[in-house]
Amino acid sequence: MALSPVQEFFADFGELCRYMGRFFARFWRRPFEGRELLRQMDEVGSKSFLLTSVTGLAIGVVLAMQSRGTLVRFGAEAVLPSMLALSVIKEIGPVITSLVLAGRLGAGMAAEIGSMRVTEQIDALEVAALKPFHFLIVTRTLACMIMFPILTMWTDSVALIGGYAESYLASGMDYRIFISTAFETIRISDVIVDTGKTSVFGFLVGMVSCYLGFTVRGGTREVGRAAMRAVVGASLLILLTDVVIVRLSIMIFGDVGT
Amino acid sequence: MSQDPIIALRGVKKRFGALEVLRGIDLTVDQGVSSVVMGGSGSGKSVLIKHIVGLLKPDAGQVWVKGKRVDTLEGDALDEVRLSIGYLFQSGALFDSMSVFENLEFFLERHTRFSKAEREERIMEHLSMVGLPEKRDHRPAELSGGQKKRIALARALVLEPDIILYDEPTTGLDPVSVRSVSELIVRLREDLGVTSVAITHDLLCAEIIADEVHFLFEGRVLASGTLEDVRHAQEPALREFFGST
């Protein structure tokens, strides 16, 4: 009997949670696929480098351009670097970077693993006692968990450079003033929590995409559907989880300026 | 036969939703025998062979391989049995992110303590056995259907298993390739002495490789024996199948 879309959603969510449990039960056990983990980190990192660089630059320049007019109207142009740094490091950098990576990696991982499923490559790993869960899911998810914060720091840095470039061209701001103003309201806990949360986003992107690819049944049409669902599912989970993390971080560390 | 069969399926039933695919399969294969399971599309051949290697678990019945009950095994115990079985998938199932050499090396790296030189020697020996040593650095996408089957066969054999399972080894190949892959299977059995189970609906392949044939119809073994016995049986389903192949 075919499931309704609502039933299918809950069935998938339940199964996804089971896969997440399996990940935590197994990722620290043998076999350690170190070489595959490095290959996946390279796949996630180096191949997303240009994308995150362009994203960061666009964020920084656009944010600076759009904020400038408003701040000038209130005579507060001097706080532009500070506002820029807070916006980029606390929220825009981590979330936009993770969403961009979810689009690039989520679709790719779901499609790759889904293709391996329909061409029996996963069964081939299984019958050769090569533990496909470790080889395919654990490595990709760990790679995302490690590389998302690194790429986010890079995006944040490029965004601030872009913001400074815009400020320099618009008002000739000195870089020493920009740096000292930018970081005066940022706390170390902000950087750790808000960059660190992208590791959770990486976990979600890795698990959702690998799960949907791993459980593909049928033919190539289902592979395409899994890729699309991976992007949508991972993006929604990033946004929802962000709300929870921000709430928790305010409860634990207080808001900026408090 | 005095010794126990190396593979035994006893009363195996399997259902997918409303579809009952296997309705009580009883089948045994003795050591060193080349057994062929034949039947039309949807007769449950692929489902049957997946039970032998533990890719599917039966709803009822037992699956025994080398004296171990595969359908109840999990984890390392199941892996131990699996390592004594080579499996040639219908599509070849070569890892397309790796070269031919890496496809074979991947298995050896993880399951043997061979040095790099020993691995290379074993891999080239098996690539030569299937007649394609020059393809070692090619990617699977650069190979023809017949070449993929041959490389997949080399990979299935690289750990030197006692049993080899062939899932439609000649499907999608032209008649010349069907003959050459089938003859290769016979040669491997003669040289390595492995027990094999092949599922196929290809009569030419069965003629070349089969010591015994089991014919599946509607989820049950309808007839067993030599190919000639099965071919000339009076069952309408058999007459229809062999009349049309």
Side-chain angles (χ1 to χ4, degrees), chain A:
Chain A
M1 194 176 66
L3 296 177
S4 72
V6 176
Q7 286 174 314
E8 194 182 356
F9 170 79
F10 282 108
D12 260 342
F13 189 72
E15 191 65 2
L16 173 64
C17 291
R18 204 172 66 81
Y19 269 62
M20 288 178 176
R22 231 168 124 188
F23 172 85
F24 287 112
R26 296 194 183 181
F27 83 90
W28 47 276
R29 292 193 188 150
R30 286 178 180 279
F32 303 118
E33 297 286 356
R35 208 166 56 179
E36 181 63 13
L37 175 62
L38 286 176
R39 200 176 75 82
Q40 291 302 330
M41 283 169 64
D42 177 50
E43 191 73 24
V44 174
S46 63
K47 293 187 180 160
S48 306
F49 184 74
L50 184 65
L51 183 66
T52 50
S53 303
V54 173
T55 304
L57 197 64
I59 290 172
V61 172
V62 169
L63 208 56
M65 284 194 299
Q66 290 198 327
S67 308
R68 176 175 309 284
T70 313
L71 292 173
V72 166
R73 204 179 311 154
F74 291 102
E77 195 185 351
V79 301
L80 179 68
S82 169
M83 195 218 72
L84 205 62
L86 269 176
S87 312
V88 166
I89 292 171
K90 282 194 70 64
E91 195 55 35
I92 298 175
V95 172
I96 299 283
T97 306
S98 299
L99 288 174
V100 164
L101 291 173
R104 185 204 170 283
L105 300 168
M109 287 193 292
E112 186 187 5
I113 296 179
S115 304
M116 290 183 75
R117 172 63 76 192
V118 299
T119 55
E120 299 180 304
Q121 291 176 51
I122 294 178
D123 285 344
L125 288 169
E126 192 88 52
V127 299
L130 290 169
K131 304 204 185 309
F133 191 89
H134 265 87
F135 187 70
L136 299 174
I137 298 185
V138 170
T139 53
R140 281 166 175 76
T141 304
L142 280 177
C144 287
M145 291 174 75
I146 296 166
M147 293 311 292
F148 269 46
I150 294 172
L151 287 167
T152 299
M153 283 191 280
W154 171 247
T155 310
D156 290 353
S157 307
V158 176
L160 291 178
I161 292 167
Y164 168 70
E166 196 281 338
S167 302
Y168 177 77
L169 292 172
S171 61
M173 184 179 279
D174 185 85
Y175 74 93
R176 282 163 294 201
I177 295 172
F178 184 91
I179 292 171
S180 64
T181 321
F183 292 103
E184 69 187 3
T185 49
I186 289 285
R187 301 168 303 178
I188 191 72
S189 62
D190 294 329
V191 179
I192 292 170
V193 171
D194 294 305
T195 307
K197 73 183 175 186
T198 59
S199 193
V200 178
F201 299 159
F203 169 74
L204 293 171
V205 171
M207 283 310 303
V208 170
S209 313
C210 293
Y211 162 72
L212 289 170
F214 207 75
T215 51
V216 160
R217 293 286 179 272
T220 46
R221 188 167 166 269
E222 290 304 309
V223 176
R225 193 163 162 261
M228 181 270 291
R229 291 174 74 210
V231 177
V232 174
S235 303
L236 283 175
L237 277 176
I238 286 172
L239 295 170
L240 291 173
T241 311
D242 188 44
V243 175
V244 176
I245 293 175
V246 168
R247 184 66 235 161
L248 283 175
S249 110
I250 290 173
M251 280 167 64
I252 296 166
F253 300 104
D255 204 352
V256 175
T258 60

Side-chain angles (χ1 to χ4, degrees), chain B residues 105-207:
Chain B
E105 190 179 35
F106 186 51
F107 281 37
L108 289 174
E109 259 182 350
R110 277 161 175 76
H111 294 307
T112 68
R113 292 180 184 278
F114 287 178
S115 66
K116 192 158 177 54
E118 286 168 329
R119 288 201 299 269
E120 173 139 15
E121 189 186 344
R122 171 78 74 94
I123 291 165
M124 292 318 293
E125 183 190 319
H126 280 75
L127 288 179
S128 301
M129 198 158 64
V130 298
L132 293 170
E134 73 283 3
K135 299 290 181 191
R136 57 169 285 167
D137 296 322
H138 287 233
R139 296 261 157 190
E142 297 164 347
L143 304 172
S144 69
Q147 288 171 338
K148 277 184 194 162
K149 294 262 182 183
R150 285 165 170 270
I151 299 295
L153 188 52
R155 190 182 66 178
L157 290 165
V158 78
L159 291 171
E160 302 194 335
D162 305 323
I163 301 167
I164 180 147
L165 308 178
Y166 301 99
D167 185 354
E168 304 277 9
T170 55
T171 296
L173 302 184
D174 61 77
V176 177
S177 300
V178 168
R179 182 168 286 280
S180 80
V181 168
S182 303
E183 285 169 354
L184 177 62
I185 290 172
V186 173
R187 191 154 47 82
L188 293 173
R189 190 191 69 213
E190 285 166 357
D191 292 350
L192 306 174
V194 291
T195 306
S196 68
V197 179
I199 60 169
T200 185
H201 55 252
D202 186 332
L203 191 54
L204 175 60
C205 173
E207 273 172 357

